[in-house]
Amino acid sequence: MIENQKIKPAQVVGPLGEPLTLDSLPPADTTRWVVRRKAEVVAAVNGGLLSVDEACARYNLTLEEFASWQRAVDRSGMHGLRVTRIQYYKSLYERQQKY
């Protein structure tokens, strides 16, 4: 079982339906994180292309930062990753949880 967990796929489906490989992921020295790049990293981790630890190390992210991206995608899709709309989607999610 542990041996199977070491097998990683060669490619996964990206957030826009395109195939993602390690080579097509954003560069490791990325400093400007647009929605598409964040979504690609989350898709790579969710698909097993990268582990959370590998993604955090490769992109110099904290675990909390990556987890917030993952939560945003789970709750609101790619739109939730927009920095200018964080408060809107956060309040929307909180209102939905009340009912």
Side-chain angles (χ1 to χ4, degrees):
M1 177 85 170
I2 294 174
E3 292 175 15
N4 291 339
Q5 292 174 350
K6 293 180 182 178
I7 298 173
K8 294 188 178 189
Q11 66 182 20
V12 296
V13 178
L16 302 175
E18 77 287 359
L20 280 179
T21 63
L22 286 175
D23 294 333
S24 65
L25 286 174
D29 60 349
T30 298
T31 56
R32 186 168 183 270
W33 285 100
V34 295
V35 171
R36 180 186 50 80
R37 290 182 190 142
K38 292 177 186 178
E40 286 176 344
V41 174
V42 170
V45 171
N46 289 346
L49 193 60
L50 288 173
S51 71
V52 174
D53 294 333
E54 290 170 336
C56 289
R58 179 176 177 155
Y59 296 110
N60 196 25
L61 303 171
T62 63
L63 185 58
E64 292 80 15
E65 187 175 17
F66 178 79
S68 72
W69 293 358
Q70 214 166 26
R71 273 192 311 274
V73 169
D74 291 344
R75 289 179 181 171
S76 306
M78 284 181 61
H79 295 292
L81 293 170
R82 293 176 58 196
V83 174
T84 57
R85 300 292 285 176
I86 288 175
Q87 282 302 111
Y88 170 77
Y89 287 111
K90 183 178 176 185
S91 66
L92 179 67
Y93 178 75
E94 288 170 353
R95 281 185 299 207
Q96 289 173 345
Q97 293 303 311
K98 290 181 183 177
Y99 301 107

